[in-house]
Coordinates of all heavy atoms in Angstrom, one line a residue:
M1 N -11.8 80.6 -1.6 CA -12.2 79.1 -1.5 C -12.3 78.7 -0.1 O -11.5 79.1 0.8 CB -11.0 78.3 -2.2 CG -11.4 76.9 -2.6 SD -10.1 76.1 -3.4 CE -9.4 75.2 -2.0
C2 N -13.4 77.9 0.2 CA -13.6 77.4 1.5 C -13.0 76.0 1.7 O -13.4 75.1 1.0 CB -15.1 77.4 1.8 SG -15.4 76.8 3.5
D3 N -12.0 75.9 2.5 CA -11.4 74.6 2.7 C -11.6 74.2 4.2 O -11.0 74.8 5.1 CB -9.9 74.8 2.4 CG -9.2 73.4 2.6 OD1 -9.8 72.4 2.9 OD2 -8.0 73.4 2.3
S4 N -12.4 73.2 4.4 CA -12.8 72.9 5.7 C -11.9 71.8 6.3 O -12.1 71.3 7.4 CB -14.2 72.4 5.8 OG -14.4 71.3 5.0
K5 N -10.8 71.4 5.6 CA -9.9 70.4 6.1 C -8.9 71.0 7.0 O -8.5 72.2 6.8 CB -9.1 69.7 4.9 CG -10.0 68.9 4.0 CD -10.4 67.6 4.6 CE -11.2 66.8 3.5 NZ -11.6 65.5 4.0
V6 N -8.5 70.3 8.0 CA -7.4 70.7 8.9 C -6.1 70.1 8.5 O -6.0 68.8 8.5 CB -7.8 70.3 10.4 CG1 -6.7 70.8 11.3 CG2 -9.1 70.9 10.7
N7 N -5.1 70.9 8.2 CA -3.9 70.3 7.7 C -2.6 71.0 8.2 O -1.5 70.8 7.8 CB -3.8 70.2 6.2 CG -3.8 71.6 5.5 OD1 -3.8 72.6 6.3 ND2 -3.7 71.7 4.2
R8 N -2.8 71.9 9.2 CA -1.6 72.6 9.7 C -1.9 73.1 11.1 O -3.0 73.2 11.6 CB -1.3 73.8 8.8 CG -2.4 74.9 8.8 CD -2.0 76.0 7.8 NE -2.0 75.4 6.5 CZ -1.0 75.7 5.6 NH1 0.0 76.5 6.0 NH2 -1.0 75.1 4.4
C9 N -0.8 73.5 11.8 CA -0.9 74.3 13.0 C -0.9 75.7 12.5 O 0.1 76.2 12.0 CB 0.3 74.1 13.9 SG 0.3 75.2 15.3
E10 N -2.1 76.4 12.6 CA -2.2 77.7 12.1 C -1.3 78.7 12.9 O -0.8 79.6 12.3 CB -3.7 78.2 12.3 CG -4.7 77.4 11.5 CD -4.7 77.7 10.0 OE1 -4.1 78.7 9.6 OE2 -5.4 76.9 9.3
C11 N -1.2 78.5 14.2 CA -0.5 79.5 15.0 C 1.0 79.6 14.6 O 1.6 80.6 14.7 CB -0.7 79.1 16.5 SG -2.4 79.3 17.0
V12 N 1.6 78.5 14.3 CA 3.1 78.5 13.9 C 3.2 78.3 12.4 O 4.3 78.3 11.9 CB 4.0 77.5 14.7 CG1 3.9 77.8 16.2 CG2 3.6 76.1 14.4
N13 N 2.1 78.2 11.7 CA 2.1 78.0 10.3 C 3.0 76.9 9.8 O 3.8 77.1 8.9 CB 2.5 79.4 9.6 CG 2.1 79.3 8.1 OD1 1.2 78.6 7.7 ND2 2.9 80.1 7.3
K14 N 2.8 75.7 10.4 CA 3.5 74.5 9.9 C 2.4 73.5 9.5 O 1.5 73.2 10.3 CB 4.3 73.9 11.1 CG 5.5 74.7 11.5 CD 6.6 74.6 10.6 CE 7.8 75.3 11.1 NZ 8.8 75.7 10.1
T15 N 2.6 72.9 8.3 CA 1.7 71.9 7.9 C 2.0 70.6 8.6 O 3.1 70.4 9.1 CB 1.8 71.6 6.4 OG1 3.1 71.1 6.1 CG2 1.5 72.9 5.6
F16 N 1.0 69.7 8.7 CA 1.2 68.4 9.3 C 2.2 67.7 8.6 O 3.0 66.9 9.2 CB -0.1 67.7 9.4 CG -1.2 68.3 10.3 CD1 -2.5 68.1 10.1 CD2 -0.8 69.2 11.3 CE1 -3.5 68.7 10.9 CE2 -1.7 69.8 12.1 CZ -3.1 69.6 11.9
E17 N 2.3 67.9 7.3 CA 3.3 67.2 6.5 C 4.7 67.6 7.0 O 5.7 66.8 7.1 CB 3.1 67.5 5.0 CG 3.8 66.5 4.2 CD 3.2 66.5 2.7 OE1 2.4 67.3 2.4 OE2 3.7 65.7 1.9
Q18 N 4.9 68.9 7.3 CA 6.2 69.4 7.8 C 6.5 68.9 9.2 O 7.6 68.6 9.5 CB 6.2 70.9 7.8 CG 6.2 71.6 6.5 CD 6.0 73.1 6.5 OE1 5.0 73.6 7.2 NE2 6.9 73.8 6.0
L19 N 5.4 68.7 10.0 CA 5.6 68.3 11.4 C 5.9 66.8 11.4 O 6.5 66.3 12.4 CB 4.4 68.6 12.2 CG 4.1 70.1 12.3 CD1 2.8 70.3 13.1 CD2 5.2 70.8 13.1
K20 N 5.5 66.1 10.4 CA 5.7 64.6 10.4 C 7.2 64.2 10.4 O 7.5 63.1 10.7 CB 4.9 64.0 9.2 CG 4.9 62.5 9.1 CD 4.2 61.9 10.2 CE 4.3 60.4 10.2 NZ 3.8 59.8 11.4
V21 N 8.1 65.1 10.0 CA 9.5 64.7 10.0 C 10.0 64.5 11.4 O 11.0 63.8 11.5 CB 10.4 65.8 9.2 CG1 9.8 66.0 7.8 CG2 10.5 67.0 10.0
Y22 N 9.3 65.0 12.4 CA 9.8 64.7 13.7 C 9.3 63.4 14.2 O 8.4 62.8 13.7 CB 9.3 65.8 14.7 CG 9.8 67.2 14.2 CD1 9.0 68.0 13.4 CD2 11.1 67.6 14.5 CE1 9.5 69.3 13.0 CE2 11.6 68.8 14.0 CZ 10.8 69.6 13.3 OH 11.3 70.8 12.8
E23 N 9.9 62.9 15.2 CA 9.7 61.5 15.7 C 8.3 61.4 16.4 O 7.7 60.3 16.4 CB 10.7 61.1 16.7 CG 11.7 60.2 16.2 CD 12.8 59.9 17.2 OE1 12.5 59.7 18.4 OE2 14.0 59.9 16.8
S24 N 7.9 62.4 17.0 CA 6.7 62.3 17.9 C 6.1 63.7 18.0 O 6.7 64.7 17.7 CB 7.1 61.9 19.3 OG 8.0 62.8 19.9
F25 N 4.9 63.8 18.6 CA 4.3 65.0 18.8 C 5.2 65.9 19.7 O 5.4 67.1 19.5 CB 2.9 64.8 19.5 CG 2.3 66.1 20.1 CD1 1.8 67.0 19.2 CD2 2.3 66.3 21.4 CE1 1.3 68.2 19.7 CE2 1.8 67.5 22.0 CZ 1.3 68.5 21.1
E26 N 5.7 65.3 20.7 CA 6.6 66.0 21.7 C 7.8 66.6 21.0 O 8.2 67.8 21.3 CB 7.0 65.1 22.9 CG 5.9 64.7 23.8 CD 4.9 63.7 23.3 OE1 5.2 63.0 22.2 OE2 3.8 63.5 23.9
A27 N 8.4 65.8 20.1 CA 9.6 66.3 19.4 C 9.2 67.5 18.5 O 9.9 68.5 18.3 CB 10.3 65.2 18.6
A28 N 8.1 67.3 17.8 CA 7.6 68.4 16.9 C 7.3 69.7 17.7 O 7.7 70.8 17.2 CB 6.4 67.9 16.1
Q29 N 6.7 69.5 18.8 CA 6.4 70.7 19.6 C 7.6 71.4 20.1 O 7.7 72.6 20.1 CB 5.5 70.2 20.8 CG 5.0 71.4 21.6 CD 3.9 71.0 22.5 OE1 4.0 70.2 23.4 NE2 2.7 71.6 22.3
L30 N 8.6 70.6 20.5 CA 9.8 71.2 21.0 C 10.5 72.0 19.9 O 11.1 73.1 20.2 CB 10.7 70.0 21.5 CG 11.8 70.3 22.6 CD1 11.1 70.8 23.9 CD2 12.6 69.1 22.9
A31 N 10.5 71.4 18.7 CA 11.3 72.0 17.6 C 10.5 73.2 17.0 O 11.2 74.2 16.5 CB 11.5 71.0 16.5
T32 N 9.2 73.2 17.0 CA 8.5 74.2 16.2 C 7.5 75.1 17.1 O 6.9 76.0 16.6 CB 7.6 73.6 15.1 OG1 6.6 72.8 15.7 CG2 8.5 72.7 14.2
Q33 N 7.3 74.7 18.3 CA 6.3 75.3 19.2 C 4.9 75.0 18.7 O 3.9 75.6 19.2 CB 6.4 76.8 19.3 CG 7.8 77.3 19.5 CD 8.4 76.8 20.8 OE1 7.8 77.0 21.9 NE2 9.5 76.1 20.8
C34 N 4.7 74.0 17.8 CA 3.3 73.7 17.4 C 2.5 73.3 18.6 O 3.0 72.6 19.5 CB 3.3 72.6 16.3 SG 3.9 71.0 16.9
G35 N 1.2 73.7 18.6 CA 0.3 73.4 19.7 C 0.5 74.1 20.9 O -0.1 73.8 22.0
T36 N 1.3 75.2 21.0 CA 1.6 75.9 22.2 C 0.8 77.2 22.3 O 0.8 77.8 23.4 CB 3.1 76.2 22.4 OG1 3.5 77.0 21.3 CG2 3.9 75.0 22.5
E37 N 0.1 77.6 21.3 CA -0.6 78.8 21.3 C -2.1 78.6 21.6 O -2.5 78.4 22.7 CB -0.3 79.7 20.1 CG 1.1 80.1 20.1 CD 1.5 81.1 19.0 OE1 0.7 81.9 18.7 OE2 2.6 81.0 18.6
C38 N -2.9 78.4 20.5 CA -4.4 78.2 20.8 C -4.6 76.8 21.3 O -5.6 76.5 21.8 CB -5.2 78.5 19.6 SG -5.1 77.2 18.3
E39 N -3.7 75.9 20.9 CA -3.8 74.4 21.3 C -4.8 73.7 20.5 O -5.0 72.5 20.8 CB -3.9 74.2 22.8 CG -2.8 74.9 23.6 CD -2.8 74.7 25.1 OE1 -3.7 74.0 25.6 OE2 -1.9 75.1 25.8
G40 N -5.5 74.3 19.6 CA -6.6 73.6 18.9 C -6.1 72.5 18.0 O -6.9 71.6 17.7
C41 N -4.9 72.6 17.6 CA -4.4 71.6 16.6 C -3.9 70.3 17.3 O -3.6 69.4 16.6 CB -3.3 72.2 15.8 SG -1.9 72.7 16.9
I42 N -3.7 70.3 18.6 CA -3.1 69.2 19.3 C -3.7 67.9 19.0 O -3.0 67.0 18.6 CB -3.0 69.5 20.8 CG1 -2.0 70.6 21.1 CG2 -2.5 68.2 21.6 CD1 -2.0 71.0 22.6
P43 N -5.0 67.7 19.1 CA -5.5 66.4 18.8 C -5.3 66.0 17.3 O -5.1 64.8 17.0 CB -7.0 66.5 19.0 CG -7.2 67.8 19.7 CD -6.0 68.6 19.6
Y44 N -5.3 66.9 16.4 CA -5.0 66.6 15.0 C -3.6 66.2 14.8 O -3.3 65.3 14.0 CB -5.3 67.9 14.1 CG -6.8 68.3 14.2 CD1 -7.2 69.3 15.1 CD2 -7.7 67.8 13.3 CE1 -8.5 69.7 15.1 CE2 -9.0 68.2 13.3 CZ -9.4 69.1 14.3 OH -10.7 69.5 14.3
I45 N -2.7 66.9 15.5 CA -1.3 66.5 15.3 C -1.0 65.1 15.9 O -0.3 64.3 15.3 CB -0.3 67.5 16.0 CG1 -0.5 68.9 15.3 CG2 1.1 67.0 15.9 CD1 0.3 70.0 16.0
K46 N -1.7 64.8 17.0 CA -1.5 63.4 17.6 C -2.1 62.4 16.7 O -1.5 61.3 16.5 CB -2.1 63.4 19.0 CG -1.3 64.2 20.0 CD -1.9 64.1 21.4 CE -1.0 64.8 22.4 NZ -1.6 64.9 23.7
L47 N -3.3 62.7 16.1 CA -3.9 61.8 15.1 C -3.0 61.7 13.9 O -2.9 60.6 13.3 CB -5.3 62.3 14.8 CG -6.1 61.5 13.7 CD1 -6.2 60.1 14.1 CD2 -7.4 62.2 13.5
M48 N -2.4 62.7 13.5 CA -1.5 62.7 12.3 C -0.3 61.7 12.6 O 0.0 60.8 11.8 CB -0.9 64.1 12.1 CG 0.0 64.2 10.9 SD 1.7 63.9 11.3 CE 2.1 65.4 12.2
F49 N 0.3 61.7 13.8 CA 1.3 60.8 14.1 C 0.8 59.3 14.2 O 1.5 58.4 13.8 CB 2.0 61.2 15.4 CG 3.1 62.2 15.2 CD1 2.9 63.5 15.6 CD2 4.3 61.9 14.5 CE1 3.9 64.5 15.4 CE2 5.2 62.9 14.3 CZ 5.0 64.2 14.7
A50 N -0.4 59.2 14.6 CA -1.0 57.8 14.8 C -1.5 57.3 13.4 O -1.4 56.1 13.2 CB -2.2 57.9 15.7
S51 N -1.9 58.1 12.5 CA -2.5 57.6 11.3 C -1.6 57.8 10.0 O -2.0 57.2 9.0 CB -3.8 58.4 11.1 OG -3.5 59.8 10.7
N52 N -0.6 58.6 10.1 CA 0.2 58.9 8.9 C -0.6 59.6 7.8 O -0.3 59.6 6.6 CB 0.8 57.7 8.3 CG 2.0 57.2 9.1 OD1 2.8 58.0 9.5 ND2 2.1 55.9 9.3
E53 N -1.7 60.3 8.2 CA -2.4 61.1 7.2 C -2.1 62.6 7.5 O -1.7 62.9 8.7 CB -3.9 60.9 7.4 CG -4.4 59.5 7.0 CD -5.8 59.2 7.4 OE1 -6.7 60.1 7.4 OE2 -6.0 58.1 7.9
Y54 N -2.3 63.4 6.5 CA -1.9 64.8 6.7 C -3.0 65.8 6.7 O -2.8 67.0 6.9 CB -0.9 65.2 5.6 CG 0.3 64.4 5.5 CD1 0.7 63.7 4.3 CD2 1.1 64.2 6.6 CE1 1.8 62.9 4.3 CE2 2.3 63.5 6.6 CZ 2.6 62.8 5.4 OH 3.7 62.0 5.3
E55 N -4.2 65.4 6.4 CA -5.3 66.3 6.5 C -6.6 65.6 7.0 O -6.8 64.4 6.7 CB -5.5 67.1 5.2 CG -6.1 66.4 4.1 CD -6.4 67.3 2.9 OE1 -5.8 68.4 2.8 OE2 -7.3 66.9 2.1
F56 N -7.4 66.3 7.8 CA -8.5 65.7 8.5 C -9.7 66.6 8.4 O -9.6 67.8 8.3 CB -8.1 65.6 10.0 CG -6.9 64.8 10.2 CD1 -5.7 65.5 10.4 CD2 -6.8 63.4 10.1 CE1 -4.5 64.8 10.5 CE2 -5.7 62.7 10.2 CZ -4.5 63.4 10.4
D57 N -10.9 65.9 8.5 CA -12.1 66.7 8.7 C -12.1 67.3 10.0 O -11.5 66.8 11.0 CB -13.3 65.7 8.6 CG -13.6 65.3 7.2 OD1 -13.3 66.0 6.2 OD2 -14.1 64.1 7.1
I58 N -12.7 68.5 10.1 CA -12.7 69.2 11.4 C -13.3 68.3 12.5 O -12.8 68.3 13.7 CB -13.5 70.5 11.3 CG1 -12.6 71.5 10.6 CG2 -13.9 71.0 12.6 CD1 -13.3 72.9 10.4
E59 N -14.3 67.5 12.1 CA -14.9 66.6 13.1 C -14.6 65.2 12.9 O -15.4 64.3 13.1 CB -16.4 66.9 13.1 CG -16.7 68.3 13.5 CD -18.2 68.6 13.8 OE1 -19.0 67.7 13.5 OE2 -18.5 69.7 14.2
D60 N -13.4 64.9 12.6 CA -13.0 63.5 12.4 C -13.3 62.7 13.7 O -12.8 63.1 14.8 CB -11.4 63.5 12.1 CG -11.0 62.1 11.7 OD1 -11.3 61.1 12.4 OD2 -10.3 62.0 10.6
P61 N -14.0 61.6 13.6 CA -14.4 60.9 14.8 C -13.3 60.3 15.6 O -13.4 60.0 16.8 CB -15.4 59.8 14.3 CG -15.1 59.7 12.8 CD -14.6 61.1 12.4
R62 N -12.1 60.1 14.9 CA -11.0 59.6 15.7 C -10.4 60.6 16.6 O -9.6 60.2 17.5 CB -9.9 59.1 14.6 CG -10.4 58.0 13.7 CD -9.4 57.8 12.6 NE -9.3 58.9 11.7 CZ -8.5 59.0 10.7 NH1 -7.6 58.0 10.5 NH2 -8.5 60.1 9.9
L63 N -10.7 61.8 16.5 CA -10.1 62.9 17.4 C -10.4 62.7 18.8 O -9.7 63.1 19.7 CB -10.6 64.3 17.0 CG -10.0 64.7 15.6 CD1 -10.8 65.9 15.1 CD2 -8.6 65.0 15.7
S64 N -11.6 62.0 19.1 CA -12.0 61.9 20.5 C -10.9 61.1 21.3 O -10.8 61.3 22.5 CB -13.4 61.3 20.6 OG -13.3 60.0 20.0
A65 N -10.2 60.3 20.7 CA -9.1 59.5 21.4 C -8.0 60.4 21.8 O -7.1 60.0 22.6 CB -8.6 58.4 20.5
Y66 N -7.9 61.6 21.2 CA -6.7 62.4 21.5 C -7.0 63.7 22.1 O -6.1 64.6 22.2 CB -6.0 62.7 20.1 CG -5.6 61.4 19.5 CD1 -6.3 60.9 18.5 CD2 -4.4 60.7 19.9 CE1 -6.0 59.6 17.9 CE2 -4.1 59.5 19.3 CZ -4.9 59.0 18.3 OH -4.5 57.8 17.8
E67 N -8.2 63.9 22.7 CA -8.5 65.2 23.2 C -8.3 65.2 24.7 O -8.0 64.2 25.4 CB -10.0 65.5 23.0 CG -10.1 66.1 21.6 CD -11.6 66.1 21.0 OE1 -12.5 65.6 21.7 OE2 -11.7 66.6 19.9
Ligands
FES101 S1 -3.3 75.9 15.6 FE1 -1.7 75.0 16.6 S2 -1.4 76.1 18.5 FE2 -3.0 77.1 17.4

């Protein structure tokens, strides 16, 4: 199945829903190392904290604010 939605940090295998339990991007990163490998998920995780959504289109137009 082809799923083009982004809903996790692939490198540490944590879903955005799992990361949302932390207070902030920085706290989530400290606890799980999310965003420290390929770094591709960083704008999505920041958008997740800002929007309270857990999955995003790869080209969500809101990402530009977090790159
Ligand atoms: S997908 Fe999150 S660091 Fe690679």
Side-chain angles (χ1 to χ4, degrees):
M1 197 180 94
C2 178
D3 184 357
S4 62
K5 296 282 188 180
V6 179
N7 67 358
R8 67 184 60 227
C9 173
E10 299 283 351
C11 295
V12 301
N13 196 27
K14 291 282 185 201
T15 64
F16 296 157
E17 200 163 2
Q18 289 172 308
L19 296 174
K20 184 64 186 171
V21 304
Y22 300 98
E23 256 175 43
S24 63
F25 170 73
E26 289 75 15
Q29 186 166 59
L30 206 61
T32 68
Q33 313 299 305
C34 65
T36 60
E37 293 188 33
C38 78
E39 303 185 359
C41 60
I42 292 176
Y44 297 92
I45 296 174
K46 290 182 174 173
L47 177 57
M48 180 272 288
F49 277 109
S51 69
N52 285 316
E53 293 166 39
Y54 301 125
E55 74 174 23
F56 304 98
D57 287 332
I58 284 184
E59 297 192 353
D60 191 307
R62 295 171 295 175
L63 291 166
S64 59
Y66 301 99
E67 280 166 354

